[in-house]
Amino acid sequence: MKRKGDDSPATSAPRVVGWLALAGVSLIAGIASYFHALAVVQAAGATPPVAYLVPALADLVILGASADLLTASRAGHQRPKLTMLALAVGVVVTLA
């Protein structure tokens, strides 16, 4: 039976491997998403300063919304409606 706070190597190693795998997949997906969006924005005729900044916006909205959801969950609060909307819009913009 696992006790709260049990951070023995047998329980922490799989957790660390899981986090590293998730971080790797997230990094690859983020890079691919950025360069795809950059190509779309450049094809639309955006100038270089704007073209390099716009692709990061949707991913930053998703990151901020995810952080807010985590904070609300840890505090025992319900999911904020505006945060859910921001997350949905960020995902839709990323996939568009």
Side-chain angles (χ1 to χ4, degrees):
M1 183 168 150
K2 184 177 181 230
R3 287 181 249 143
K4 187 175 182 176
D6 183 13
D7 287 331
S8 67
T11 59
S12 63
R15 194 175 328 153
V16 169
V17 170
W19 277 104
L20 288 174
L22 181 61
V25 169
S26 298
L27 180 65
I28 292 167
I31 291 170
S33 172
Y34 177 82
F35 282 112
H36 175 258
L38 178 61
V40 170
V41 171
Q42 285 177 331
T47 59
V50 173
Y52 292 111
L53 293 173
V54 167
L57 294 178
D59 292 335
L60 289 174
V61 168
I62 293 171
L63 180 64
S66 298
D68 193 38
L69 285 173
L70 181 61
T71 302
S73 174
R74 288 185 175 170
H77 299 143
Q78 290 187 357
R79 291 180 234 154
K81 289 179 177 55
L82 187 58
T83 299
M84 293 302 295
L85 177 64
L87 182 61
V89 169
V91 168
V92 167
V93 168
T94 295
L95 295 177

